Amino acid sequence: MPLPIVGTLFYSGPPLHVLHDDYAKQGRIDDRAPVVAAAEVDVDAPPATVWRLLSDVAAWPSWNTDIKSVTLDPAVAVDAAFHWKNGASSIRSRFAVVAAERELTWTGVSTGIRAVHRNTLEPLPGGGVRLRSEESMAAPLIGVIFPSGVLQRSLRKWVEQLKRTAEAA
């Protein structure tokens, strides 16, 4: 059931450990969060190529112009931590799902904002893969400062840049 507008304005979501274990690891974002968006694109490249680019987290800045740096602690694995800078935001994240050629999901926190970001890969008949990226963000007043439309544009850019890089590989 949707939250009333006042509840949405001040909704901070579940604690980060609950968001990580009970949402992200279970294949879902926080659909009650005030900021929610998704983007998908069909990529004319094998799932292995898309997966290689997506799971090589340290190399994200090479194909995503918004990402400035990534520090991985120690590798891409469930519950492993990584720190990254996306635009002006410094984000502390942990992987929740690492399923080769199927899903890479993490939770993250930045200045009190708690997020779940899921990326799923679906093989297409005849080759290629459908890449879907979805995210939820929760914090008091986040919807006023960073509305869903802004997140939507960011996710669209994420999938389009990944598509372009995978298809050129």
Side-chain angles (χ1 to χ4, degrees), residues 31-149:
D31 59 4
R32 295 179 64 193
V35 178
V36 175
E40 71 179 34
V41 66
D42 290 351
V43 183
D44 188 18
T49 300
V50 177
W51 176 256
R52 180 181 47 77
L53 291 166
L54 185 60
S55 64
D56 187 359
V57 177
W60 284 353
S62 71
W63 59 265
N64 188 309
T65 58
D66 291 336
I67 299 175
K68 306 304 177 207
S69 64
V70 179
T71 305
L72 202 52
D73 229 10
V76 177
V78 172
D79 293 329
F82 65 105
H83 299 73
W84 52 306
K85 188 162 178 106
N86 187 354
S89 300
S90 293
I91 306 164
R92 289 181 300 119
S93 295
R94 269 192 325 146
F95 294 105
V97 178
V98 179
E101 298 184 23
R102 289 190 335 228
E103 181 175 348
L104 185 65
T105 297
W106 61 86
T107 54
V109 64
S110 176
T111 60
I113 301 164
R114 293 188 289 254
V116 175
H117 191 154
R118 293 186 72 222
N119 293 275
T120 55
L121 305 175
E122 175 190 342
L124 296 172
V129 64
R130 178 162 295 136
L131 168 64
R132 178 172 173 78
S133 186
E134 61 182 333
E135 186 169 354
S136 63
M137 298 170 67
L141 303 175
I142 185 66
V144 174
I145 301 163
F146 192 88
S148 292

